[in-house]
Each structure stands twice: as C-alpha cells, then as structure tokens.
Amino acid sequence: MKNIKFEYAFFVSYIIIGGLWILFSDLVLYSFFDDANLLSKAQTYKGWFYVLVTAVFFYFVLKKHLDKLRTAEQEAIKSDKLKTAFLQNISHEIRTPMNGIVGFADLLGEEDLSKEQRAEFLKIIARNSNQLLGIINDVLDVSLIETGNILAKESEVNINELLTELLDTFKPIIKPTLKMELQLALTDADSTILVDEVKLKQVLVNLLDNANKYTEEGFIEFGYQKKQTNLEFYVRDSGIGIETAKMEDIFERFVQASSEPKVLKRGVGLGLAICEGNVRILGGQLWVESEQGKGSAFYFTIPYKSIVSVL
Ligand code: ADP
C-alpha cells in the first residue's frame, strides 16, 4: 500500500467514491420522490451537496500534503544554504593550512637556511597539518555519528584526573586575558566511572575550545555535579554569548551563530553537532544557556556508573 503513489490512490478513490455516490444517491432519491419536478430539484441539491463535500475534502487533503511539501522545501532550502556556507567556509579552512604547508615545505628546500629557521618552518608545517587533520576528523566524525553506527566503548575512567589533565592542557594555551577554574564534586575515590573516555574528552575539549574561541576576557569555568543518577558537566564562559533565536540551531551541522566576520572565528560549524552526537552515544543530553554579551554555559549529562556501586 505504501508503494502506491498518493496521486494514483487519490484518483482511484475519487472515481470509486464518486461512482458509488451517483449510483446509490440516485437510487435513494428515486425511492423518495415520484414527482419529476421534485426529483430534478433534489438532484440539483444533491449535486451541490456533492460539490461542497468534495471541495472541503480536497481542501483538507491537499492542504495536508502541500503543507508537508512546503515544510520539506523550506528544509531543503535551509540545508542547501547551510551546505553552501559550509563549503565556502571549509574550503577557506582547508586552503589556509594547505598554503602554509606547501609554502613552508618549498622554503625548506632552500640551501642557505639556518638550523633555527628550518626548525621554525617544520613547526609551522606540523601546526598546519594538525589543523588540517582536525577538520578532516570533524567531517569524518559527523558523518559516522549520522549513520548511527558508533557505540560507546566503556572503560574505567577517573573523571577527576581527566578534568585536571584538561585544566593543565588548556591553561597554557588559553588567552592570557582569561582565568580558568575547575570544580570537582566527588572525591577522587568516587570519581572513577564507566564511560567512553575518548568521547567524553572530545566533548569537553570541544566545549573548552569554543569557550576560549568566543571569550575575549573574563573566565572559563568547568566541572561537574552529581545530580541523582547522572553527572552533569558544565563549561561556562564570560564571552560573547549567543542570540536566543540561534540557541537551538547551533547544535545542527554547519551552523555558526554569528555571521559577523569579526566574530566568525576559525571552525566549520561541526564542533557542537559532534558534541551533541557524542553525548547522545554516552546516554546523556547536551544543552546551552546563554545571554548575548554576557556569556554562555554549556551543560551535558552522562549516567553516573560508579565503579564503587558496580563492584
Ligand atoms: P564552530 O565553532 O566551528 O563555528 P561549533 O559547532 O563548535 O562550530 O559552534 C557553532 C556556533 O555556536 C559557533 O559558530 C558560535 O557562533 C556558537 N558558539 C559555540 N560555543 C560558543 C560559546 N562558548 N560562546 C559563544 N558562542 C558559541
């Protein structure tokens, strides 16, 4: 039944119902009216009745289908625009490090370079290659998440250690105008849980990276709290914040909340889509609270699978 196209089903049903109506309604009229004049009048009313009922029926059926098509069209246009913006953005993001790699690899071939210059060029090539690798990984991650083929690979992870490591990694690389703070809610003994470490770390790194990207001065705070059977992680910043209207869209692929070139920082708009996918795989939820100009707070939950209670 599902394979029959709407227009065929509609056409055939219309003919069958119309035919049956003509056949039976005439029979009914004949049984009620003997007078030819009255019968002719009744047939006119019957005609009008049929036109009215079918008009209302057509209106609702067509409206339902056209509404569906219009929504699909709007979504296709939106997705097309996003893809175009993504392609423009990604080609810029790929070309910039590629130019760096090709340019400095060329320079490395020159003979009269000092040892320091050579080391510096190699550093630039490595940095640009890592940037490129990051973009390629993001694109691969997002397509893997979309196919739904990834499962969480759980192992014992001490989250206090993981978060402290992240603090140590980020502190030297964040803007010097920013203060970074970490709050741990559980004792070290209680903070060993079963979780996919790679995914949890990827989410936190992404959120911390964004906090640093979109905050010029003030603070970045992160940590977690125990809420019933979950752990609720947070990353807060005092940065540019996000417009209320765009708060839901930022978790979609390719979406960048600000179109202002000054604010549009490095990135291709995949980070939060990957975070959202990873948090879902970990069995939790990700959301944001933000006020434009004041800052943002990203929260996500994961189930608290304590090793202590599992043993
Ligand atoms: P990208 O950072 O590559 O643009 P993301 O998916 O990580 O992509 O983020 C999507 C958008 O959400 C960003 O372009 C930015 O506008 C907004 N955003 C994300 N994190 C923050 C934050 N901490 N503060 C303000 N805006 C943010």
Side-chain angles (χ1 to χ4, degrees), residues 206 210-211 213-214 237 240-242 250 255-258 264 266-273 296 298:
N206 239 312
N210 275 352
K213 237 191 320 185
Y214 299 104
D237 64 58
I240 57 171
I242 301 158
I250 55 169
V255 170
Q256 298 190 296
S258 174
L264 199 66
R266 288 216 102 74
V268 285
L270 290 180
L272 287 178
S296 313
F298 285 84

PDB file of all heavy atoms in Angstrom, residues 206 210-211 213-214 237 240-242 250 255-258 264 266-273 296 298, ligand 1:
ATOM      1  N   ASN A 206      36.101  20.123  23.002  1.00  0.00           N
ATOM      2  CA  ASN A 206      35.376  20.966  22.058  1.00  0.00           C
ATOM      3  C   ASN A 206      34.724  22.161  22.753  1.00  0.00           C
ATOM      4  O   ASN A 206      34.782  23.287  22.264  1.00  0.00           O
ATOM      5  CB  ASN A 206      34.273  20.134  21.408  1.00  0.00           C
ATOM      6  CG  ASN A 206      34.450  20.108  19.921  1.00  0.00           C
ATOM      7  OD1 ASN A 206      34.643  21.149  19.312  1.00  0.00           O
ATOM      8  ND2 ASN A 206      34.400  18.929  19.349  1.00  0.00           N
ATOM      9  N   ASN A 210      35.757  26.078  22.338  1.00  0.00           N
ATOM     10  CA  ASN A 210      34.793  27.120  21.973  1.00  0.00           C
ATOM     11  C   ASN A 210      34.789  28.246  23.003  1.00  0.00           C
ATOM     12  O   ASN A 210      34.736  29.423  22.638  1.00  0.00           O
ATOM     13  CB  ASN A 210      33.384  26.537  21.868  1.00  0.00           C
ATOM     14  CG  ASN A 210      33.119  25.923  20.508  1.00  0.00           C
ATOM     15  OD1 ASN A 210      33.930  26.066  19.605  1.00  0.00           O
ATOM     16  ND2 ASN A 210      32.010  25.240  20.368  1.00  0.00           N
ATOM     17  N   ALA A 211      34.823  27.869  24.300  1.00  0.00           N
ATOM     18  CA  ALA A 211      34.809  28.894  25.353  1.00  0.00           C
ATOM     19  C   ALA A 211      35.993  29.845  25.146  1.00  0.00           C
ATOM     20  O   ALA A 211      35.857  31.070  25.253  1.00  0.00           O
ATOM     21  CB  ALA A 211      34.864  28.240  26.722  1.00  0.00           C
ATOM     22  N   LYS A 213      37.599  30.301  22.279  1.00  0.00           N
ATOM     23  CA  LYS A 213      37.446  30.982  20.979  1.00  0.00           C
ATOM     24  C   LYS A 213      36.514  32.187  21.095  1.00  0.00           C
ATOM     25  O   LYS A 213      36.757  33.232  20.516  1.00  0.00           O
ATOM     26  CB  LYS A 213      36.830  29.988  19.987  1.00  0.00           C
ATOM     27  CG  LYS A 213      37.647  29.776  18.768  1.00  0.00           C
ATOM     28  CD  LYS A 213      36.986  29.011  17.640  1.00  0.00           C
ATOM     29  CE  LYS A 213      36.125  27.839  17.906  1.00  0.00           C
ATOM     30  NZ  LYS A 213      35.679  27.161  16.666  1.00  0.00           N
ATOM     31  N   TYR A 214      35.415  32.008  21.854  1.00  0.00           N
ATOM     32  CA  TYR A 214      34.384  33.050  21.865  1.00  0.00           C
ATOM     33  C   TYR A 214      34.404  33.924  23.118  1.00  0.00           C
ATOM     34  O   TYR A 214      33.418  34.558  23.449  1.00  0.00           O
ATOM     35  CB  TYR A 214      33.008  32.399  21.672  1.00  0.00           C
ATOM     36  CG  TYR A 214      32.911  31.667  20.348  1.00  0.00           C
ATOM     37  CD1 TYR A 214      32.986  30.282  20.275  1.00  0.00           C
ATOM     38  CD2 TYR A 214      32.827  32.380  19.152  1.00  0.00           C
ATOM     39  CE1 TYR A 214      32.939  29.614  19.061  1.00  0.00           C
ATOM     40  CE2 TYR A 214      32.781  31.725  17.935  1.00  0.00           C
ATOM     41  CZ  TYR A 214      32.839  30.343  17.899  1.00  0.00           C
ATOM     42  OH  TYR A 214      32.808  29.697  16.689  1.00  0.00           O
ATOM     43  N   ASP A 237      31.438  30.375  30.306  1.00  0.00           N
ATOM     44  CA  ASP A 237      32.407  31.422  29.969  1.00  0.00           C
ATOM     45  C   ASP A 237      31.752  32.786  30.046  1.00  0.00           C
ATOM     46  O   ASP A 237      30.527  32.894  30.130  1.00  0.00           O
ATOM     47  CB  ASP A 237      32.996  31.174  28.567  1.00  0.00           C
ATOM     48  CG  ASP A 237      31.956  31.258  27.468  1.00  0.00           C
ATOM     49  OD1 ASP A 237      31.317  32.310  27.339  1.00  0.00           O
ATOM     50  OD2 ASP A 237      31.774  30.265  26.730  1.00  0.00           O
ATOM     51  N   ILE A 240      31.086  36.164  24.319  1.00  0.00           N
ATOM     52  CA  ILE A 240      30.142  36.968  23.527  1.00  0.00           C
ATOM     53  C   ILE A 240      28.689  36.501  23.663  1.00  0.00           C
ATOM     54  O   ILE A 240      27.771  37.226  23.317  1.00  0.00           O
ATOM     55  CB  ILE A 240      30.521  36.981  22.021  1.00  0.00           C
ATOM     56  CG1 ILE A 240      30.584  35.552  21.467  1.00  0.00           C
ATOM     57  CG2 ILE A 240      31.815  37.725  21.795  1.00  0.00           C
ATOM     58  CD1 ILE A 240      30.724  35.506  19.963  1.00  0.00           C
ATOM     59  N   GLY A 241      28.494  35.256  24.136  1.00  0.00           N
ATOM     60  CA  GLY A 241      27.126  34.750  24.281  1.00  0.00           C
ATOM     61  C   GLY A 241      26.487  34.436  22.937  1.00  0.00           C
ATOM     62  O   GLY A 241      27.099  34.619  21.877  1.00  0.00           O
ATOM     63  N   ILE A 242      25.244  33.958  23.018  1.00  0.00           N
ATOM     64  CA  ILE A 242      24.552  33.524  21.790  1.00  0.00           C
ATOM     65  C   ILE A 242      23.151  34.120  21.773  1.00  0.00           C
ATOM     66  O   ILE A 242      22.464  34.141  22.796  1.00  0.00           O
ATOM     67  CB  ILE A 242      24.447  31.979  21.758  1.00  0.00           C
ATOM     68  CG1 ILE A 242      25.852  31.358  21.813  1.00  0.00           C
ATOM     69  CG2 ILE A 242      23.727  31.484  20.513  1.00  0.00           C
ATOM     70  CD1 ILE A 242      25.870  29.948  22.313  1.00  0.00           C
ATOM     71  N   ILE A 250      22.465  26.041  16.886  1.00  0.00           N
ATOM     72  CA  ILE A 250      23.925  25.845  16.908  1.00  0.00           C
ATOM     73  C   ILE A 250      24.341  24.382  17.030  1.00  0.00           C
ATOM     74  O   ILE A 250      25.475  24.048  16.724  1.00  0.00           O
ATOM     75  CB  ILE A 250      24.611  26.671  18.028  1.00  0.00           C
ATOM     76  CG1 ILE A 250      23.988  26.354  19.386  1.00  0.00           C
ATOM     77  CG2 ILE A 250      24.592  28.149  17.718  1.00  0.00           C
ATOM     78  CD1 ILE A 250      24.797  26.920  20.539  1.00  0.00           C
ATOM     79  N   VAL A 255      26.165  24.950  11.337  1.00  0.00           N
ATOM     80  CA  VAL A 255      25.607  26.233  11.784  1.00  0.00           C
ATOM     81  C   VAL A 255      26.621  27.005  12.617  1.00  0.00           C
ATOM     82  O   VAL A 255      27.210  26.478  13.547  1.00  0.00           O
ATOM     83  CB  VAL A 255      24.316  26.027  12.609  1.00  0.00           C
ATOM     84  CG1 VAL A 255      23.884  27.336  13.266  1.00  0.00           C
ATOM     85  CG2 VAL A 255      23.210  25.520  11.717  1.00  0.00           C
ATOM     86  N   GLN A 256      26.809  28.255  12.229  1.00  0.00           N
ATOM     87  CA  GLN A 256      27.629  29.170  13.014  1.00  0.00           C
ATOM     88  C   GLN A 256      26.721  30.321  13.405  1.00  0.00           C
ATOM     89  O   GLN A 256      26.057  30.918  12.565  1.00  0.00           O
ATOM     90  CB  GLN A 256      28.823  29.640  12.189  1.00  0.00           C
ATOM     91  CG  GLN A 256      29.705  28.444  11.823  1.00  0.00           C
ATOM     92  CD  GLN A 256      31.009  28.835  11.219  1.00  0.00           C
ATOM     93  OE1 GLN A 256      31.041  29.423  10.152  1.00  0.00           O
ATOM     94  NE2 GLN A 256      32.095  28.514  11.898  1.00  0.00           N
ATOM     95  N   ALA A 257      26.649  30.592  14.706  1.00  0.00           N
ATOM     96  CA  ALA A 257      25.613  31.512  15.190  1.00  0.00           C
ATOM     97  C   ALA A 257      25.800  32.935  14.712  1.00  0.00           C
ATOM     98  O   ALA A 257      24.846  33.634  14.422  1.00  0.00           O
ATOM     99  CB  ALA A 257      25.558  31.460  16.707  1.00  0.00           C
ATOM    100  N   SER A 258      27.024  33.379  14.628  1.00  0.00           N
ATOM    101  CA  SER A 258      27.221  34.769  14.242  1.00  0.00           C
ATOM    102  C   SER A 258      27.735  34.849  12.816  1.00  0.00           C
ATOM    103  O   SER A 258      28.652  34.128  12.432  1.00  0.00           O
ATOM    104  CB  SER A 258      28.230  35.427  15.170  1.00  0.00           C
ATOM    105  OG  SER A 258      28.482  36.702  14.688  1.00  0.00           O
ATOM    106  N   LEU A 264      33.014  35.566  13.560  1.00  0.00           N
ATOM    107  CA  LEU A 264      33.117  34.239  12.942  1.00  0.00           C
ATOM    108  C   LEU A 264      34.565  33.762  13.038  1.00  0.00           C
ATOM    109  O   LEU A 264      35.411  34.139  12.252  1.00  0.00           O
ATOM    110  CB  LEU A 264      32.682  34.334  11.479  1.00  0.00           C
ATOM    111  CG  LEU A 264      32.289  33.037  10.801  1.00  0.00           C
ATOM    112  CD1 LEU A 264      31.039  32.469  11.425  1.00  0.00           C
ATOM    113  CD2 LEU A 264      32.077  33.268   9.334  1.00  0.00           C
ATOM    114  N   ARG A 266      37.694  30.798  13.658  1.00  0.00           N
ATOM    115  CA  ARG A 266      38.080  29.559  12.983  1.00  0.00           C
ATOM    116  C   ARG A 266      37.091  28.456  13.317  1.00  0.00           C
ATOM    117  O   ARG A 266      36.587  28.357  14.426  1.00  0.00           O
ATOM    118  CB  ARG A 266      39.433  29.089  13.521  1.00  0.00           C
ATOM    119  CG  ARG A 266      40.594  29.893  13.091  1.00  0.00           C
ATOM    120  CD  ARG A 266      41.776  28.986  12.887  1.00  0.00           C
ATOM    121  NE  ARG A 266      41.979  28.738  11.482  1.00  0.00           N
ATOM    122  CZ  ARG A 266      42.488  29.645  10.663  1.00  0.00           C
ATOM    123  NH1 ARG A 266      42.818  30.821  11.089  1.00  0.00           N
ATOM    124  NH2 ARG A 266      42.669  29.368   9.396  1.00  0.00           N
ATOM    125  N   GLY A 267      36.823  27.617  12.358  1.00  0.00           N
ATOM    126  CA  GLY A 267      35.916  26.495  12.620  1.00  0.00           C
ATOM    127  C   GLY A 267      34.957  26.350  11.468  1.00  0.00           C
ATOM    128  O   GLY A 267      34.797  27.278  10.659  1.00  0.00           O
ATOM    129  N   VAL A 268      34.345  25.189  11.389  1.00  0.00           N
ATOM    130  CA  VAL A 268      33.448  24.949  10.264  1.00  0.00           C
ATOM    131  C   VAL A 268      32.021  24.669  10.715  1.00  0.00           C
ATOM    132  O   VAL A 268      31.184  24.255   9.943  1.00  0.00           O
ATOM    133  CB  VAL A 268      33.971  23.788   9.374  1.00  0.00           C
ATOM    134  CG1 VAL A 268      35.143  24.245   8.545  1.00  0.00           C
ATOM    135  CG2 VAL A 268      34.352  22.582  10.207  1.00  0.00           C
ATOM    136  N   GLY A 269      31.758  24.890  11.993  1.00  0.00           N
ATOM    137  CA  GLY A 269      30.385  24.704  12.487  1.00  0.00           C
ATOM    138  C   GLY A 269      30.016  23.253  12.725  1.00  0.00           C
ATOM    139  O   GLY A 269      28.844  22.897  12.684  1.00  0.00           O
ATOM    140  N   LEU A 270      31.011  22.395  12.955  1.00  0.00           N
ATOM    141  CA  LEU A 270      30.697  20.983  13.202  1.00  0.00           C
ATOM    142  C   LEU A 270      30.867  20.582  14.664  1.00  0.00           C
ATOM    143  O   LEU A 270      30.325  19.577  15.110  1.00  0.00           O
ATOM    144  CB  LEU A 270      31.599  20.079  12.342  1.00  0.00           C
ATOM    145  CG  LEU A 270      31.328  20.093  10.845  1.00  0.00           C
ATOM    146  CD1 LEU A 270      32.289  19.173  10.121  1.00  0.00           C
ATOM    147  CD2 LEU A 270      29.905  19.649  10.552  1.00  0.00           C
ATOM    148  N   GLY A 271      31.644  21.385  15.406  1.00  0.00           N
ATOM    149  CA  GLY A 271      32.014  21.017  16.784  1.00  0.00           C
ATOM    150  C   GLY A 271      30.836  20.637  17.666  1.00  0.00           C
ATOM    151  O   GLY A 271      30.821  19.555  18.263  1.00  0.00           O
ATOM    152  N   LEU A 272      29.824  21.493  17.726  1.00  0.00           N
ATOM    153  CA  LEU A 272      28.701  21.221  18.633  1.00  0.00           C
ATOM    154  C   LEU A 272      27.824  20.071  18.136  1.00  0.00           C
ATOM    155  O   LEU A 272      27.259  19.338  18.943  1.00  0.00           O
ATOM    156  CB  LEU A 272      27.862  22.481  18.835  1.00  0.00           C
ATOM    157  CG  LEU A 272      28.509  23.554  19.709  1.00  0.00           C
ATOM    158  CD1 LEU A 272      27.602  24.777  19.807  1.00  0.00           C
ATOM    159  CD2 LEU A 272      28.799  23.019  21.097  1.00  0.00           C
ATOM    160  N   ALA A 273      27.747  19.915  16.803  1.00  0.00           N
ATOM    161  CA  ALA A 273      26.980  18.776  16.269  1.00  0.00           C
ATOM    162  C   ALA A 273      27.661  17.479  16.705  1.00  0.00           C
ATOM    163  O   ALA A 273      26.993  16.511  17.098  1.00  0.00           O
ATOM    164  CB  ALA A 273      26.901  18.853  14.752  1.00  0.00           C
ATOM    165  N   SER A 296      28.162  32.278  28.038  1.00  0.00           N
ATOM    166  CA  SER A 296      27.400  31.062  27.740  1.00  0.00           C
ATOM    167  C   SER A 296      27.741  29.988  28.759  1.00  0.00           C
ATOM    168  O   SER A 296      28.827  29.985  29.327  1.00  0.00           O
ATOM    169  CB  SER A 296      27.770  30.511  26.359  1.00  0.00           C
ATOM    170  OG  SER A 296      27.778  31.533  25.406  1.00  0.00           O
ATOM    171  N   PHE A 298      27.422  25.787  28.750  1.00  0.00           N
ATOM    172  CA  PHE A 298      27.023  24.529  28.113  1.00  0.00           C
ATOM    173  C   PHE A 298      26.977  23.445  29.182  1.00  0.00           C
ATOM    174  O   PHE A 298      27.894  23.350  30.011  1.00  0.00           O
ATOM    175  CB  PHE A 298      28.023  24.147  27.024  1.00  0.00           C
ATOM    176  CG  PHE A 298      27.875  24.979  25.781  1.00  0.00           C
ATOM    177  CD1 PHE A 298      28.488  26.222  25.678  1.00  0.00           C
ATOM    178  CD2 PHE A 298      27.097  24.538  24.727  1.00  0.00           C
ATOM    179  CE1 PHE A 298      28.321  27.004  24.551  1.00  0.00           C
ATOM    180  CE2 PHE A 298      26.924  25.313  23.595  1.00  0.00           C
ATOM    181  CZ  PHE A 298      27.540  26.554  23.503  1.00  0.00           C
TER     182      PHE A 298
HETATM  183  P1  ADP B   1      32.423  26.480  15.128  1.00  0.00           P
HETATM  184  O1  ADP B   1      32.961  26.878  16.469  1.00  0.00           O
HETATM  185  O2  ADP B   1      33.354  25.671  14.317  1.00  0.00           O
HETATM  186  O3  ADP B   1      31.813  27.610  14.382  1.00  0.00           O
HETATM  187  P2  ADP B   1      30.523  24.871  16.652  1.00  0.00           P
HETATM  188  O4  ADP B   1      29.572  23.830  16.185  1.00  0.00           O
HETATM  189  O5  ADP B   1      31.528  24.470  17.674  1.00  0.00           O
HETATM  190  O6  ADP B   1      31.208  25.456  15.363  1.00  0.00           O
HETATM  191  O7  ADP B   1      29.689  26.080  17.223  1.00  0.00           O
HETATM  192  C1  ADP B   1      28.595  26.587  16.472  1.00  0.00           C
HETATM  193  C2  ADP B   1      28.379  28.058  16.776  1.00  0.00           C
HETATM  194  O8  ADP B   1      27.921  28.207  18.134  1.00  0.00           O
HETATM  195  C3  ADP B   1      29.653  28.886  16.693  1.00  0.00           C
HETATM  196  O9  ADP B   1      29.883  29.331  15.366  1.00  0.00           O
HETATM  197  C4  ADP B   1      29.347  30.049  17.634  1.00  0.00           C
HETATM  198  O10 ADP B   1      28.638  31.054  16.955  1.00  0.00           O
HETATM  199  C5  ADP B   1      28.416  29.423  18.678  1.00  0.00           C
HETATM  200  N1  ADP B   1      29.151  29.093  19.913  1.00  0.00           N
HETATM  201  C6  ADP B   1      29.634  27.885  20.286  1.00  0.00           C
HETATM  202  N2  ADP B   1      30.214  27.941  21.512  1.00  0.00           N
HETATM  203  C7  ADP B   1      30.087  29.213  21.926  1.00  0.00           C
HETATM  204  C8  ADP B   1      30.477  29.925  23.115  1.00  0.00           C
HETATM  205  N3  ADP B   1      31.115  29.320  24.124  1.00  0.00           N
HETATM  206  N4  ADP B   1      30.171  31.229  23.194  1.00  0.00           N
HETATM  207  C9  ADP B   1      29.505  31.861  22.186  1.00  0.00           C
HETATM  208  N5  ADP B   1      29.115  31.261  21.047  1.00  0.00           N
HETATM  209  C10 ADP B   1      29.399  29.945  20.905  1.00  0.00           C
END
